[in-house]
Every structure is written in C-alpha cells, then in structure tokens.
Amino acid sequence: SCSEGVAGSFGERPRCLKCGDRCPGLDMHYWRKICKHCRCGPEDHDLTDEDDRQLSRKPRDPRELSTRIHKLNIDDPAVQSEIVTPENDLVIHRIVSENLRSQQYVSMLPKDKQLFAAQLRRRQLQRQLPLHDLHARFCDSLTEKEGHKFQKFAEKRRNKAAGIGTVGAVPEKPPTRCHRCDLTIDPKSFAMLTSRLGGTACFHTGCFTCATCRELLVDNIYFCRGGDIYCGRHYAELIYPRCSACDEIIFSREYTQAENQSWHVQHFCCWYCDTPLAGLRYIAQQNNPYCVQCFDRLYSKVCATCGRTITADSPGLSHGPNHWHACPHCFCCHCCHTSLINRQFLLKDGRLFCSTSCRHVYDTAPRNAFPRPPLHQH
C-alpha cells in the first residue's frame, strides 16, 4: 500500500543507524515522514553528502523538497533561494545561516567525528523545528481553508512569538534570577537574554530550554507563549493538535482522537499496512494503532499447551516467557488437567501443575505419559 519514495532512486539506499541490516535502506513512506521499511525517521539513516546531491536535483514536488533538506545540508544557492523567500520569518533565515556555519564547523572536525556532529544537529533541527511547521510548502495535503489557517498561525508566530536568545552580561542590581530554575545567576557570568519575555528575563545558559521537552533550544531559537519559551514543535502543539501519523499540525476542524493522541481523519490507519481504521476495531501497540490482522501477524504469541496462536480475539495469559489461551482447556494442570484459572499454580519446564503431587507424578513418569491434549476450538 506504499508507493515508492524519493529515496528509492538511490543506487544504494542509506542504511538505518538503528536497525542495521534489518532495514534494506531508506525508502520514504508516501505520507508518513518515516522509512516505510523500518519505520524510523530519515534522520536515523546514514545520509551522505552524495545522497544530498542526488536529492537536490530537479525537485518535482514539495515532499521531494522536504526530503532533500532533511539533512539541512544547504550549500546549493538554488536550494537556499527556494527556502529563503521574502515572506519567510527570521526562523528559517536563522536555520539557513546557522546551518552554513555549522557545515564549516563540521568540516574542520576530525573525519571520524564529522558524521556524529552532523547527525546530532540534524536530529535537533528536525525534532524542534520541523519544516512542515515552518512553511506550508512542506505540508502534505492542506486544503485551501487549512492553508489560510496555516498562514494566520505562521503570521502570529512570526509577529508575537518567535525570537532568538542572545548571550549577554547579567545585570548586577538587583540580583538576577534564572527564569527556568529560579536560582540567582552569577553577575560575573553570562546569561541568555530573551526580548519576547521582557528586558529583564534571563536564563542560565544551561537552562535555556523548551518548557515542555526541557531540551536545549537549537540555534537559540525560541517561541514565547504564556510567559515561557518553547521549541517550535511544542509551541505549535499548545495551539493546535498534531497528527501522530504524519507529524503535521492539524488545521482541520474534524480529526480523530484515540490513545491520547490525534490523527487526521484520513491518517488514522494501521501502522503496518495503512488500512484505514475508521469504524474498525484496532489494537494499540507502542502508541501505534494496528488492524487486528497485522497485530496477530506481528505480535501474537503461541500457546504453550495447544501450540496454536493466541490471536487478538482470544484472551491470553502470560507468565514470564510462557503464554497460554485463557481457557480451562489450555491453562490447566499438565498432569490432571484441572483448570488453573484464578488459582495458584506451579511451573516447571514451561508446564503448569496444580500441586506438588502432580509435579512429582510428572517428574517420575515417562516423558510420553502425558501427551498434549487434543486441539480445542477457540
């Protein structure tokens, strides 16, 4: 159900740094911002400069442009001109200018440190300042009405919230307290200053963090709301819900809420096969919804008694690495077949016993004296 992604044009696809050989290489999902093979983000893959050069040739659509700059390796003037346009705010300009400085810095590092430094910065940027939050061209499918909402959101963010922290001297009088930890800042040291919170708001340099995720703010870019500062991602989530599937802000009035998360209506799909789940039964695993069929295929256990799969429709019981159907036929004494549901039991060699006497009978009897019970229809 997934179409070929942009990265599918690579001769050798960038390998996943998390999954190793389990992933055949980065192949972008057609609307989720993840690899369709391993479900990891592009920032978790070993993108090289050659990958960036290939991705920067002749962009066909906004999704390709987004993929091209996932690494934010903006050294092509043509790419830079596409991102920095007159209507863009200081945030994107800052990202571009700081990224160029970052590239120069990384190029001066020892070869064995360059990849780590580049990946670290890329992850910070993609996490805190997702491109689809900054410009509508990076969103997958905004309607005209949603596009207008995006522009109003971006304009309000630019005019009332966005700022860049600066390093400055600490005012000597009165004693200055850190806005984050409320401890006094040494007047002989330096502090992070924020104009959006007023001229007196200061932070320890190590306290200049997002109020939600508590991560240091990349490139000192912050967004002010309610008397505190946030990274771009969490500022947006104070105003609009975010789709758990495509990671974009939801501007539509209608959306799905489940498992304490939000989804575009069309994106509430099985995490594995992308089958739409609206009106269907689903099972959540690691905060992702699965259709019953995919859940059974990926996560179902095998009953230690009957040897059959414990499907999502069959209640099960577990103890350590052992699993059983939650029925008297399977969860029973291996010796006398007494049901052990809601009763104490003994476990030996993966087999259940109702008492020490039954376990002793099993220990002293020939191993073929207790054949597996006949299959039971669950």
Side-chain angles (χ1 to χ4, degrees):
S1 60
C2 297
S3 63
E4 283 296 315
V6 175
S9 61
F10 294 171
E12 183 177 349
R13 294 170 181 166
R15 65 186 181 89
C16 181
L17 300 172
K18 287 185 175 180
C19 302
D21 294 338
R22 295 194 305 260
C23 174
L26 176 63
D27 196 351
M28 291 295 291
H29 188 278
Y30 69 112
W31 54 265
R32 301 183 196 268
K33 293 169 180 62
I34 56 173
C35 172
K36 69 179 185 181
H37 295 302
C38 65
R39 295 310 203 246
C40 295
E43 70 274 11
D44 295 316
H45 290 74
D46 187 14
L47 293 173
T48 65
D49 291 340
E50 179 58 28
D51 296 332
D52 282 340
R53 284 191 288 272
Q54 291 192 40
L55 286 168
S56 64
R57 296 170 186 163
K58 299 180 181 180
R60 292 187 295 273
D61 58 45
R63 284 193 302 275
E64 181 170 346
L65 177 60
S66 179
T67 305
R68 284 163 48 193
I69 58 178
H70 266 306
K71 191 176 180 181
L72 287 175
N73 195 12
I74 310 167
D75 54 4
D76 182 348
V79 178
Q80 189 169 335
S81 65
E82 288 182 85
I83 301 169
V84 183
T85 54
E87 74 272 17
N88 287 145
D89 57 35
L90 64 96
V91 173
I92 294 183
H93 282 272
R94 174 77 169 188
I95 290 174
V96 173
S97 61
E98 286 297 316
N99 185 69
L100 295 176
R101 291 175 57 188
S102 175
Q103 289 178 54
Q104 294 174 349
Y105 167 75
V106 169
S107 67
M108 293 185 292
L109 292 173
K111 290 291 184 182
D112 61 336
K113 301 294 191 301
Q114 290 184 12
L115 180 60
F116 171 79
Q119 289 172 348
L120 180 62
R121 176 176 168 74
R122 176 163 25 111
R123 288 180 180 178
Q124 286 180 302
L125 285 168
Q126 290 187 326
R127 179 64 185 167
Q128 295 188 17
L129 297 166
L131 293 169
H132 42 273
D133 281 15
L134 300 181
H135 201 292
R137 75 170 67 188
F138 300 114
C139 297
D140 186 55
S141 56
L142 289 177
T143 64
E144 183 177 356
K145 188 174 182 179
E146 291 167 357
H148 289 313
K149 285 188 176 181
F150 187 105
Q151 294 306 323
K152 288 183 178 179
F153 163 73
E155 182 178 354
K156 181 179 179 180
R157 177 181 58 192
R158 177 173 62 248
N159 295 333
K160 297 185 177 181
I164 299 173
T166 57
V167 179
V170 180
E172 293 186 11
K173 295 181 180 180
T176 302
R177 292 186 175 274
C178 174
H179 192 81
R180 175 69 67 237
C181 70
D182 202 37
L183 297 177
T184 301
I185 303 176
D186 184 352
K188 297 180 181 180
S189 65
F190 291 92
M192 296 299 299
L193 311 178
T194 54
S195 58
R196 291 288 186 184
L197 289 178
T200 59
C202 299
F203 294 76
H204 289 108
T205 53
C207 291
F208 195 64
T209 59
C210 169
T212 297
C213 65
R214 300 291 174 168
E215 293 290 330
L216 289 171
L217 295 167
V218 63
D219 293 343
N220 297 332
I221 297 172
Y222 69 89
F223 300 88
C224 181
R225 184 175 174 83
D228 216 329
I229 59 173
Y230 300 84
C231 65
R233 172 178 294 276
H234 292 115
Y235 168 82
E237 292 175 8
L238 293 173
I239 303 172
Y240 289 100
R242 184 180 298 280
C243 179
S244 182
C246 72
D247 197 49
E248 294 180 16
I249 303 169
I250 301 175
F251 292 98
S252 172
R253 293 184 62 182
E254 294 184 355
Y255 61 95
T256 299
Q257 282 191 312
E259 305 300 323
N260 296 318
Q261 298 181 85
S262 303
W263 281 269
H264 288 107
V265 173
Q266 70 273 22
H267 288 168
F268 187 59
C269 304
C270 174
W271 177 250
Y272 189 76
C273 71
D274 291 332
T275 297
L277 295 174
L280 299 179
R281 185 178 170 216
Y282 71 91
I283 301 170
Q285 181 74 9
Q286 297 177 342
N287 294 324
N288 296 314
Y290 291 82
C291 66
V292 174
Q293 293 78 10
C294 285
F295 180 85
D296 286 342
R297 186 185 317 128
L298 296 170
Y299 295 107
S300 290
K301 308 299 183 181
V302 175
C303 178
T305 298
C306 70
R308 302 178 92 178
T309 300
I310 306 172
T311 65
D313 295 319
S314 304
L317 295 169
S318 298
H319 182 80
N322 303 291
H323 310 276
W324 301 269
H325 287 105
C327 68
H329 177 267
C330 293
F331 198 69
C332 63
C333 177
H334 186 72
C335 183
C336 68
H337 305 303
T338 299
S339 173
L340 296 175
I341 296 176
N342 296 324
R343 293 183 57 182
Q344 290 185 332
F345 62 88
L346 300 173
L347 186 66
K348 181 177 181 181
D349 299 333
R351 293 172 172 82
L352 296 163
F353 300 96
C354 63
S355 62
T356 55
S357 59
C358 276
R359 187 180 66 180
H360 178 71
V361 171
Y362 169 77
D363 289 339
T364 57
R367 285 296 175 258
N368 59 358
F370 301 97
R372 176 175 289 176
L375 291 179
H376 179 74
Q377 186 67 38
H378 293 285

